[in-house]
Amino acid sequence: MTDSSSELEPERAAVADACRRLGAEGLLIGTAGNVSVRVEDRVAITATGAVLAELTADQVTLVDLDGKVVGGSLQPTSELDLHLGVYRRYGSGAIVHTHAPMATALSLVLDELPCIHYQLLTLGGTVRVAPYATFGTPELAESVLDALEGRSAAIMANHGAVTHAPTLDKAVEHALLLEWACGVYQHAAALGRPRALDERQQLAVIEAAIARNYGTTHPVPPEQEGTR
Ligand SMILES: [Zn+2]
């Protein structure tokens, strides 16, 4: 481990901020979950065993895209391979993984969260539930990577949820939105059979967003976000 503790200092602080915010919102409980942000070929990622709701920048480890620790004094999270896999396949800028209660509850019974609200189009629409595999394994990373195809979010069976985005703020917003939608779905399912938006309704939302210059729909490449 080399000492480059000053490297990516703002990003390490931002990861700690994001964890404390997600903790305050009830999405990160104890040491469960992990958050990372990528700057070119460096990733600032939460250390294993850290209490995330109280995280400080010195509990954020720096790794390269092969997972080699290049800064910080602590070992990175056991879900490092999942994070690196998302960066390699989707070129994301940040990742949030939580064991958020609503998403985890849905993961026990659903194969996907239907597109029950137009805001879910921010995540790409219907959110898939990735088949279960043991935490920290290549099988889990593979399962989640496939579930993320064309999406900014996936639910992980009997485990939790993951979101990714070009920026850390957006990945956090996605995590909060997904947890809200999972809660809404559960309230609705207790009353009856939740209706989902059909394809025509979803398309109309995307068209309306484009017409109003909202940068909200997922299928737009990252470089165009913020320009519409
Ligand atoms: Zn986990």
Side-chain angles (χ1 to χ4, degrees):
M1 237 175 274
T2 54
D3 180 23
S4 52
S5 50
S6 61
E7 205 183 340
L8 296 192
E9 201 53 49
E11 286 76 14
R12 294 170 78 185
V15 166
D17 283 349
C19 287
R20 292 196 302 269
R21 180 173 176 207
L22 289 162
E25 299 276 1
L27 271 67
L28 291 174
I29 298 111
T31 61
N34 29 77
V35 172
S36 72
V37 65
R38 177 178 69 87
V39 179
E40 294 171 2
D41 60 350
R42 289 280 190 269
V43 175
I45 189 163
T46 49
T48 188
V51 175
L52 295 160
E54 300 166 4
L55 203 78
T56 53
D58 62 353
Q59 293 173 300
V60 179
T61 301
L62 289 188
V63 298
D64 64 19
L65 287 178
D66 295 321
K68 185 169 159 265
V69 174
V70 294
S73 55
L74 302 171
Q75 283 301 310
T77 168
S78 53
E79 296 297 0
L80 178 62
D81 285 347
L82 169 61
H83 287 248
L84 296 177
V86 173
Y87 289 128
R88 284 195 215 103
R89 192 182 297 187
Y90 298 112
S92 321
I95 298 166
V96 170
H97 163 54
T98 75
H99 297 178
M102 297 296 171
T104 305
L106 282 197
S107 83
L108 310 181
V109 291
L110 292 186
D111 295 323
E112 61 178 33
L113 171 65
C115 188
I116 50 157
H117 193 283
Y118 74 85
Q119 276 192 287
L120 282 179
L121 290 168
T122 313
L123 308 178
T126 301
V127 179
R128 302 183 192 99
V129 177
Y132 180 81
T134 308
F135 80 93
T137 59
E139 290 75 21
L140 178 64
E142 202 54 37
S143 167
V144 175
L145 283 173
D146 288 348
L148 282 172
E149 188 69 48
R151 300 289 187 276
S152 297
I155 296 168
M156 302 156 69
N158 301 73
H159 187 153
V162 63
T163 58
H164 69 111
T167 66
L168 183 56
D169 280 349
K170 266 205 171 161
V172 168
E173 291 304 325
H174 287 345
L176 294 168
L177 172 64
L178 177 62
E179 183 65 358
W180 170 80
C182 288
V184 168
Y185 184 94
Q186 285 173 56
H187 286 304
L191 301 171
R193 189 156 175 266
R195 285 188 296 270
L197 298 177
D198 63 28
E199 254 177 54
R200 186 185 53 80
Q201 291 168 324
Q202 293 182 37
L203 191 61
V205 171
I206 293 168
E207 286 170 356
I210 290 168
R212 283 166 179 76
N213 241 16
Y214 291 165
T216 53
T217 51
H218 181 81
V220 180
E223 64 270 18
Q224 290 179 29
E225 286 198 8
T227 62
R228 19 165 295 175

